[in-house]
C-alpha cells in the first residue's frame, strides 16, 4: 500500500509548458457550472494537462489528448459531477476518495477546485499511483495522497472502511460493481458520485438490486449534456444510510 501526502509548497507556475495550451473557457464555466477557476487553479489545470501528456508516453493514461477534448471530458466532466454538492459549501475539511482513479480523474480536478477536500487517489496499479504522487507534488497539492490496492479489499479494513465523506468513481465496470466499490468506504451520511454515460431502466434495476445490503440509497440521478460535444452524461448520487 502506498499512501504518501504531497508537499504543501506553491506550484512552480513558471515551468515551461507544452506547446498545447488548454482553453480557459471562462464564460462556459460560469454558464454551465456557475463556477470558474481562479488564476492559480487555471495554471494548475495547465500543469495537470502537461503532466498527463508527459506521463501518457509511458503509462497509457488517456486517449484524450486534444486540448479542447481534455478540457471538456476530463476537467469539465470531473467537476460537473461534484461542483454542486452541499459538501463544497461547508468550509470544513472533506475526506474524499477517487476509486479506480487511473490518470487522476475526477479526483485531481476536484482537489484543485476544492482545497478543503482531502483527496485520496486509489488505483490498483502501482506505476499509476507513483506517477500521480509525483504529479500532485509538482502541482503542490497538499490535499492529495495516493493509495495502491484493490478497492474491495481496502474498503473492509481500517483506516478506510466507512471513513470518507465523499467517494467518486468513473469508467469502472457496471453500475452494480461501482456501488459495491464505493459504498463501504462511506460513513453514514456520506455521498458517492457514479459518473456514467448513458443511463437506462436496466441500469436502474441493476443498481437497486444491490443497494439495500450495502446500506445505500439513490439520492438523485442527474442528466446533462457536455458543453462542446453535447455528449449525454449522467451522475448517480448515492447516500449511505
Amino acid at each position: 500500500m502506498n499512501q504518501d501526502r504531497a508537499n504543501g509548497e506553491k506550484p512552480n507556475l513558471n515551468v515551461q509548458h507544452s506547446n498545447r495550451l488548454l482553453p480557459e473557457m471562462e464564460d462556459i464555466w460560469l454558464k454551465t457550472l456557475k463556477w470558474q477557476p481562479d488564476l492559480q487553479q487555471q495554471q494548475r489545470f495547465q500543469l495537470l494537462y502537461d503532466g498527463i501528456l508527459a506521463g501518457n508516453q509511458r503509462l497509457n493514461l488517456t486517449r484524450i489528448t486534444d486540448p479542447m477534448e481534455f478540457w471538456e471530458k476530463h476537467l469539465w466532466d470531473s467537476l460537473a459531477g461534484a461542483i454542486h454538492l452541499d459538501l463544497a459549501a461547508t468550509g470544513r475539511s472533506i475526506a474524499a476518495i477517487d476509486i479506480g482513479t487511473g490518470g487522476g480523474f475526477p479526483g485531481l480536478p476536484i482537489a484543485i477546485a476544492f482545497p478543503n477536500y482531502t483527496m485520496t487517489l486509489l488505483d490498483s496499479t502501482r506505476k499509476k499511483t507513483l506517477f500521480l504522487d509525483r504529479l500532485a507534488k509538482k502541482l503542490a497539492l497538499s490535499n492529495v495522497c495516493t493509495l495502491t490496492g484493490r478497492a474491495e479489499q481496502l474498503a473492509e479494513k481500517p483506516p478506510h472502511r466507512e471513513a470518507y465523506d465523499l467517494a467518486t468513481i468513473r469508467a469502472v465496470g457496471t453500475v452494480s460493481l461501482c456501488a459495491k466499490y464505493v459504498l463501504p468506504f462511506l460513513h453514514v451520511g456520506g455521498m458517492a458520485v457514479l459518473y456514467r454515460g448513458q443511463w437506462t431502466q436496466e441500469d436502474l434495476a441493476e443498481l437497486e438490486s444491490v443497494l439495500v445490503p450495502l446500506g445505500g440509497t439513490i439520492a438523485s440521478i442527474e442528466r446533462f449534456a457536455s458543453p462542446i460535444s453535447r455528449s449525454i452524461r449522467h451522475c448517480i448520487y448515492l447516500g449511505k444510510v
Side-chain angles (χ1 to χ4, degrees):
M1 182 191 305
N2 173 43
Q3 191 169 16
D4 299 314
R5 187 165 302 281
N7 62 38
E9 300 175 359
K10 291 185 178 181
N12 181 8
L13 301 178
N14 294 317
V15 298
Q16 184 176 0
H17 296 309
S18 69
N19 293 325
R20 309 178 78 176
L21 295 178
L22 289 173
E24 294 187 1
M25 311 299 279
E26 293 179 357
D27 291 343
I28 294 181
W29 279 123
L30 279 174
K31 182 178 179 181
T32 58
L33 302 184
K34 296 181 173 59
W35 176 88
Q36 66 180 146
D38 61 25
L39 178 59
Q40 187 177 76
Q41 288 167 332
Q42 184 64 39
Q43 290 172 324
R44 279 187 164 124
F45 284 155
Q46 180 66 47
L47 285 175
L48 172 59
Y49 178 52
D50 294 341
I52 293 295
L53 289 183
N56 219 28
Q57 299 175 24
R58 297 179 291 106
L59 295 174
N60 192 27
L61 299 168
T62 180
R63 292 175 294 176
I64 301 168
T65 57
D66 173 78
M68 183 64 79
E69 267 198 297
F70 189 94
W71 177 87
E72 180 184 45
K73 296 180 180 180
H74 281 325
L75 301 182
W76 184 91
D77 186 75
S78 293
L79 294 184
I83 202 78
H84 299 306
L85 288 175
D86 291 341
L87 298 174
T90 64
R92 67 180 178 86
S93 179
I94 301 298
I97 185 167
D98 184 26
I99 298 164
T101 191
F105 304 103
L108 281 177
I110 292 173
I112 291 171
F114 301 118
N116 61 312
Y117 282 32
T118 300
M119 178 62 70
T120 298
L121 304 175
L122 167 62
D123 201 274
S124 61
T125 304
R126 184 170 177 81
K127 287 183 179 179
K128 288 184 178 179
T129 56
L130 288 173
F131 165 78
L132 292 173
D133 189 61
R134 290 192 294 269
L135 182 57
K137 286 182 169 68
K138 182 178 179 181
L139 272 61
L141 291 173
S142 60
N143 60 332
V144 171
C145 62
T146 59
L147 180 63
T148 308
R150 299 190 65 82
E152 63 271 29
Q153 296 172 353
L154 291 170
E156 295 301 319
K157 303 175 182 178
H160 303 291
R161 182 171 178 79
E162 298 182 346
Y164 294 88
D165 302 291
L166 174 68
T168 59
I169 189 165
R170 189 175 83 154
V172 181
T174 65
V175 67
S176 59
L177 185 62
C178 288
K180 290 176 182 177
Y181 282 162
V182 297
L183 286 168
F185 282 100
L186 297 175
H187 60 67
V188 172
M191 178 73 69
V193 186
L194 280 54
Y195 289 73
R196 312 293 295 180
Q198 296 296 326
W199 184 253
T200 66
Q201 286 300 310
E202 288 76 16
D203 292 325
L204 178 60
E206 178 187 340
L207 178 60
E208 290 176 334
S209 71
V210 301
L211 284 182
V212 172
L214 294 171
T217 185
I218 298 174
S220 67
I221 298 174
E222 305 296 332
R223 180 185 186 275
F224 52 90
S226 59
I228 306 302
S229 64
R230 307 305 296 172
S231 301
I232 299 301
R233 306 287 295 150
H234 291 81
C235 279
I236 291 75
Y237 297 89
L238 305 180
K240 183 70 173 287
V241 296

